[in-house]
Amino acid sequence: MGGPVVLGIESSCDETGAGIVRDGELLAHVVASSMDEHARFGGVVPEIAARAHLQSFNPVVREALGRAGLRPGQIDAVAVTTGPGLSGALQVGLAGAKSLAYAAGVPLYGVHHLAGHVAADTLEHGPLPSPCVVLIVSGGHTSLLLVRDLVREPILHLGDTLDDAAGECFDKVARILGLPYPGGPAIDRAAREGDPRAVDFPRPLTRGGDAPYAFSFSGLKTAAARWVEKHRLRGVEVPVADGAAALQEAVADVLSRKALAACEAYGVRTLVVVGGVAANSRVRALTEQRCAAAGVGLRVPPTTLCTDNGAMIAAVGDLLVRSGAEPAPLDVSIDPSAPLEYASLNPLPAPAARAA
């Protein structure tokens, strides 16, 4: 029979995702992206994203259920992203999830989007070691976390980005280089033909200081823009491949260097790298190389689970259900700027704290 079957819904940005998980096993997941609709604008347009979620929600859920060989009445719980993200997009997902939970008579769990990225790794590699250092790196977020029990204990932020996230830096520089949106995959493709040593781009916030695990990519973006401008002012062709390779190398260097430093400082033997930029080939390769040299285990989800998807939200919901967490109240609402403190936006104290 197995444990409870959890349906996860993700709609925080431009992907409509539905995933189904039971006892830590991924049964099915389906993602519909509106990325092509945003590409001509060079970034996500919130109104277009919300409308795309409305159009995709039912087909995506139906397909996920079909792939898992399940009917709606066989779902035992629904988990949904309630923040952070685009307000309209989140509203669509939450409204749909509430309807599904109500119709099936099952509990609803509100999940933090970034905790979903962390939990995505469990679908490939099993339970997270306690403790572990987690590097979340995406278009909107770059954070180093110390994680113990993901669904019961508070998540400790070791450092966050002070301005642009790594993925945002890729998107903006890609546009300057004349590469298509989304910038991360475009930079990765262009870099294959370039020399990462061709440009000496800066490595921001790597000289110590009061915030050793903080990130800043705004200055790197500006350095890349000035490098491109110099070529154009001289009337010479911009060596796009070299610029892409050097930029990618700088980002990968900063991310991996800080992540390994955090592992050493906190005596942690496992690093987990998640989020859309975890799909970047150089970020993966350099981090793997440095982890091997330091004797630190590296866990990275498959690329299909790095970008936004419903499976990661179902994974958190599955952990919440199995831990005995209380469902979200009927009037649960979205929080577009929710800070990452707990995996659930309606958290329970840890068992020891409740007993006290």
Side-chain angles (χ1 to χ4, degrees):
M1 292 291 292
V5 176
V6 180
L7 169 66
I9 302 296
E10 158 61 22
S11 70
S12 64
C13 191
D14 60 342
E15 280 100 4
T16 310
I20 300 173
V21 171
R22 178 176 57 203
D23 287 339
E25 178 186 358
L26 179 60
L27 303 183
H29 88 104
V30 176
V31 176
S33 175
S34 58
M35 187 179 297
D36 290 346
E37 298 178 55
H38 304 284
R40 59 197 177 106
F41 299 102
V44 176
V45 180
E47 292 81 3
I48 292 176
R51 185 169 63 246
H53 288 306
L54 281 169
Q55 295 168 343
S56 300
F57 186 92
N58 285 335
V60 163
V61 171
R62 281 197 300 266
E63 186 173 347
L65 288 168
R67 289 187 184 182
L70 297 170
R71 300 183 306 276
Q74 293 175 293
I75 296 297
D76 298 300
V78 177
V80 60
T81 302
T82 46
L86 302 174
S87 178
L90 290 168
Q91 290 282 15
V92 173
L94 178 58
K98 282 184 175 181
S99 299
L100 289 170
Y102 180 80
V106 299
L108 177 72
Y109 294 85
V111 171
H112 196 289
H113 174 77
L114 296 182
H117 277 301
V118 179
D121 182 73
T122 68
L123 299 174
E124 180 72 12
H125 300 117
L128 293 170
S130 179
C132 61
V133 168
V134 177
L135 172 63
I136 298 180
V137 55
S138 67
H141 305 274
T142 304
S143 298
L144 266 176
L145 313 171
L146 185 66
V147 176
R148 293 186 173 90
D149 187 323
L150 180 63
V151 298
R152 287 197 177 276
E153 297 188 42
I155 296 165
L156 176 62
H157 286 247
L158 305 179
D160 299 284
T161 186
L162 303 178
D163 40 59
D164 289 357
E168 185 179 0
C169 177
F170 279 151
D171 284 340
K172 291 178 177 178
V173 175
R175 184 185 302 180
I176 295 167
L177 290 171
L179 296 172
Y181 176 86
I187 292 283
D188 204 349
R189 289 191 298 270
R192 295 170 192 165
E193 306 299 324
D195 179 2
R197 296 166 295 183
V199 190
D200 186 20
F201 283 136
R203 271 56 170 170
L205 299 184
T206 54
R207 297 184 180 179
D210 295 333
Y213 310 120
F215 298 93
S216 170
F217 293 103
S218 179
L220 177 57
K221 173 198 67 182
T222 301
R226 288 176 175 169
W227 176 79
V228 171
E229 184 181 25
K230 285 179 182 178
H231 283 79
R232 290 177 176 161
L233 287 174
R234 295 203 308 265
V236 298
E237 183 179 355
V238 178
V240 172
D242 286 347
L247 177 78
Q248 185 172 259
E249 188 70 19
V251 171
D253 183 20
V254 171
L255 293 174
S256 57
R257 190 187 307 189
K258 285 179 175 283
L260 266 296
C263 289
E264 181 180 3
Y266 285 85
V268 172
R269 307 313 302 165
T270 302
L271 171 65
V272 183
V273 183
V274 298
V277 179
N280 179 273
S281 62
R282 186 53 183 158
V283 170
R284 282 179 174 245
L286 186 56
T287 306
E288 182 177 355
Q289 174 187 330
R290 288 178 169 174
C291 280
V296 172
L298 175 64
R299 293 175 37 155
V300 186
T303 54
T304 55
L305 294 178
C306 286
T307 52
D308 294 350
N309 61 84
M312 69 188 198
I313 304 305
V316 178
D318 175 60
L319 292 171
L320 289 168
V321 170
R322 288 193 281 148
S323 70
E326 291 289 333
L330 292 176
D331 62 349
V332 63
S333 60
I334 64 165
D335 184 351
S337 57
L340 178 57
E341 298 173 343
Y342 291 88
S344 168
L345 296 190
N346 181 44
L348 282 177
R354 291 202 304 272

